[in-house]
């Protein structure tokens, strides 16, 4: 019997969270993310989990941080304006090393913008929205099935690296419906956070293992420790010590940067002989692959590199994959955000940005046109 189902991207995201072991959700409804909250409000109590609609997005972020400290796998979901409100506590979660997942189903902005039209305008906010230096993991699925699997990966990365993970859907993916066959939970790799192996007296909540990630005791397990957004010692106590501050901030970055090969998720399409490479992510990648196939029918050697992991930015990988290409085309539903990173690694002279900022989705022909223009070696 087929397991085929017709699912919406937001529904696949909610089911992926449950499959990954999420049992706590706190949020405040906002389109185009609301279906995630609606589904988890119904499903989590049936599994012994908790759903709380908070008074706003800031409180929602605080609630998921608190739940994660008790040992629960926790998630929240929002859209552009709500994502802006969550930034201070995303930074707190990074500093206090609290594993949570923040889903942002992007819509056109700035501010309340065009509710609820598609956009990819939060790429840089997801990287730099909160103050201070810290690495971040940001993932962006490009289909309904990927929404399921990438949500599982987001929860796994949060647990493995003890850090907040941003899941950037866009309205196209969140509200699109596709035929999918989801795997059984037993077929998935599910990662739980490391637990301490020492006594409560010996435990230091922020003393890292060799991978830079400290084991994490849950509140209620009998381990007593202090949690703060201030610079802190291994025991979590505030300090102004410059040496400790330097070590802590460097570790918050290197524990992610050193794991970039594990964290980087992507797919390659027709890249073997590509002289032109399209770099795309999220909903835009769907129009890009159609454009690439049309160009191939015309004999143009073009391929697609579809990024799923946006941050940490896989710059060295892009540099290597595109080294034989004379032109790199980067379509985005924004004014030009990730294209700057591509230019940083691949060089300004080869990179062509293609942008939509009007709340409308790309027609494949809008990406095909610069591909045709670039054939023969001219940008």
């Amino acid at each position: 019997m087929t397991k085929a189902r017709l699912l919406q991207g937001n529904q696949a995201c909610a089911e992926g969270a449950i499959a990954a072991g999420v049992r706590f959700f706190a949020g405040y409804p906002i389109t185009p993310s609301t279906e995630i909250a609606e589904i988890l409000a119904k499903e989590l109590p049936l599994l012994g989990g908790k759903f709380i609609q908070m008074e706003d997005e800031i409180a929602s972020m605080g609630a998921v941080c608190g739940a994660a400290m008790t040992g629960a796998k926790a998630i929240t979901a929002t859209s552009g304006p709500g994502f802006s409100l969550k930034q201070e506590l995303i930074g707190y979660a990074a500093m206090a090393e609290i594993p949570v997942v923040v889903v942002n189903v992007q819509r056109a902005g700035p501010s309340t913008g065009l509710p609820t039209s598609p956009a990819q305008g939060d790429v840089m906010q997801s990287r730099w929205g909160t103050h201070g230096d810290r690495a971040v993991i940001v993932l962006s699925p490009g289909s309904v099935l990927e929404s399921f699997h990438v949500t599982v990966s987001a929860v796994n990365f949060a647990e493995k690296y003890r850090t907040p993970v941003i899941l950037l859907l866009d309205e196209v993916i969140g509200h699109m419906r596709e035929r999918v066959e989801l795997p059984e939970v037993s077929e998935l790799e599910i990662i739980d956070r490391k637990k301490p192996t020492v006594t409560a007296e010996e435990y230091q909540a922020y003393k890292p293992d060799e991978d830079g990630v400290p084991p994490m005791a849950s509140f209620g397990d009998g381990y007593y420790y202090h949690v703060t957004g201030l610079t802190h010692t291994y025991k979590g106590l505030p300090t102004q010590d410059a040496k400790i501050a330097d070590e802590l901030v460097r570790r918050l970055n290197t524990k992610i940067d050193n794991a970039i090969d594990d964290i980087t998720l992507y797919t390659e399409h027709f890249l073997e002989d590509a002289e032109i490479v399209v770099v795309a992510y999220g909903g835009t990648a769907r129009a890009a692959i159609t454009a690439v196939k049309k160009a191939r029918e015309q004999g143009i050697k073009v391929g697609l590199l579809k990024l799923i992991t946006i941050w940490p930015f896989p710059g060295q990988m892009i540099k290597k994959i595109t080294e034989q290409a004379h032109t790199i085309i980067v379509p985005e539903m924004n004014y030009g955000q990730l294209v700057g990173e591509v230019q940083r690694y691949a060089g300004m002279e080869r990179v062509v940005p293609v942008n939509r900022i009007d709340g409308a989705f790309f027609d494949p022909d809008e990406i095909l046109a610069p591909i045709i223009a670039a054939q023969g070696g001219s940008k």
Side-chain angles (χ1 to χ4, degrees):
M1 179 181 293
T2 179
K3 297 187 294 182
R5 299 167 62 191
L6 184 64
L7 286 189
Q8 186 192 60
N10 281 343
Q11 185 179 2
C13 174
E15 296 205 18
I18 290 172
V22 168
R23 293 296 181 267
F24 185 88
F25 177 98
Y28 187 81
I30 179 171
T31 56
S33 73
T34 302
E35 292 86 358
I36 298 171
E38 289 177 340
I39 294 165
L40 293 177
K42 177 182 177 183
E43 298 297 331
L44 283 179
L46 301 176
L47 299 167
K50 303 293 183 185
F51 171 93
I52 303 177
Q53 180 175 319
M54 301 298 290
E55 66 268 33
D56 57 34
E57 288 87 351
I58 300 172
S60 304
M61 193 65 210
V64 294
C65 286
M69 294 301 298
T70 71
K73 293 183 178 180
I75 192 171
T76 184
T78 188
S79 185
F83 191 52
S84 300
L85 292 171
K86 292 179 183 293
Q87 291 300 328
E88 182 176 359
L89 281 172
I90 291 173
Y92 176 84
M95 185 60 145
E97 298 184 74
I98 302 173
V100 294
V101 173
V102 181
V103 183
N104 175 14
V105 187
Q106 299 167 94
R107 71 187 208 191
S111 188
T112 42
L114 293 170
T116 311
S117 299
Q120 295 173 314
D122 300 341
V123 170
M124 283 300 175
Q125 188 189 20
S126 67
R127 175 64 187 93
W128 302 108
T130 189
H131 57 282
D133 288 311
R134 89 281 183 259
V136 64
I137 300 174
V138 181
L139 310 176
S140 183
S143 70
V144 172
L145 184 59
E146 276 187 5
S147 292
F148 176 87
H149 285 290
V150 176
T151 302
V152 174
S153 296
V155 177
N156 282 344
F157 288 154
E159 295 285 312
K160 185 174 184 178
Y161 298 106
R162 201 177 157 177
T163 190
V165 173
I166 311 300
L167 184 57
L168 270 189
L169 277 70
D170 51 61
E171 191 275 343
V172 175
I173 302 300
H175 280 165
M176 180 175 59
R177 294 181 187 275
E178 288 184 310
R179 177 190 182 279
V180 298
E181 295 187 24
L182 301 184
E184 300 292 336
V185 174
S186 60
E187 300 175 290
L188 300 171
E189 181 188 19
I190 304 298
I191 297 175
D192 299 322
R193 68 193 66 171
K194 290 188 294 185
K195 291 286 190 177
T197 56
V198 299
T199 66
E201 290 73 23
E202 296 172 318
Y203 180 60
Q204 298 183 82
Y206 295 99
K207 184 177 182 179
D209 289 342
E210 289 187 0
D211 61 359
V213 182
M216 184 175 183
S218 300
F219 283 3
D221 282 353
Y223 291 80
Y224 176 80
Y225 61 97
H226 191 262
V227 181
T228 177
L230 294 167
T231 299
H232 46 268
T233 65
Y234 285 164
K235 292 185 177 181
L237 298 174
T239 180
Q240 296 286 332
D241 187 289
K243 182 179 179 182
I244 293 175
D246 182 272
E247 178 189 344
L248 174 58
V249 175
R250 289 185 189 280
R251 183 176 62 77
L252 291 177
N253 284 272
T254 57
K255 73 173 182 178
I256 305 300
D257 293 340
N258 291 343
I260 190 168
D261 290 343
D262 179 47
I263 295 167
T264 299
L265 308 176
Y266 65 100
T267 60
E268 300 182 13
H269 308 264
F270 309 108
L271 287 176
E272 294 78 9
D273 60 347
E275 298 173 348
I276 303 168
V277 175
V278 180
V279 178
Y281 55 93
T284 298
R286 303 178 69 85
I289 188 62
T290 300
V292 166
K293 289 178 179 177
K294 285 186 173 183
R296 281 276 169 181
E297 290 172 358
Q298 298 180 33
I300 301 174
K301 294 181 178 180
V302 57
L304 168 67
L305 173 61
K306 188 179 81 171
L307 299 179
I308 297 172
T309 299
I310 295 177
W311 306 109
F313 187 72
Q316 294 301 328
M317 181 194 76
I318 286 182
K319 186 176 180 180
K320 181 178 180 181
I321 287 177
T322 63
E323 61 185 357
Q324 300 301 323
H326 58 69
T327 303
I328 303 162
I329 297 170
V330 185
E332 298 180 273
M333 289 186 289
N334 56 46
Y335 196 59
Q337 297 197 13
L338 208 64
V339 66
E341 293 298 307
V342 177
Q343 289 171 331
R344 190 154 72 97
Y345 287 93
M348 293 279 292
E349 68 282 357
R350 292 191 296 155
V351 179
V352 178
V354 181
N355 308 104
R356 287 208 71 148
I357 52 173
D358 57 356
F361 186 53
F362 274 109
D363 185 304
D365 286 347
E366 295 175 87
I367 301 172
L368 178 62
I371 293 174
I372 293 173
Q375 64 176 323
S378 59
K379 282 175 59 175

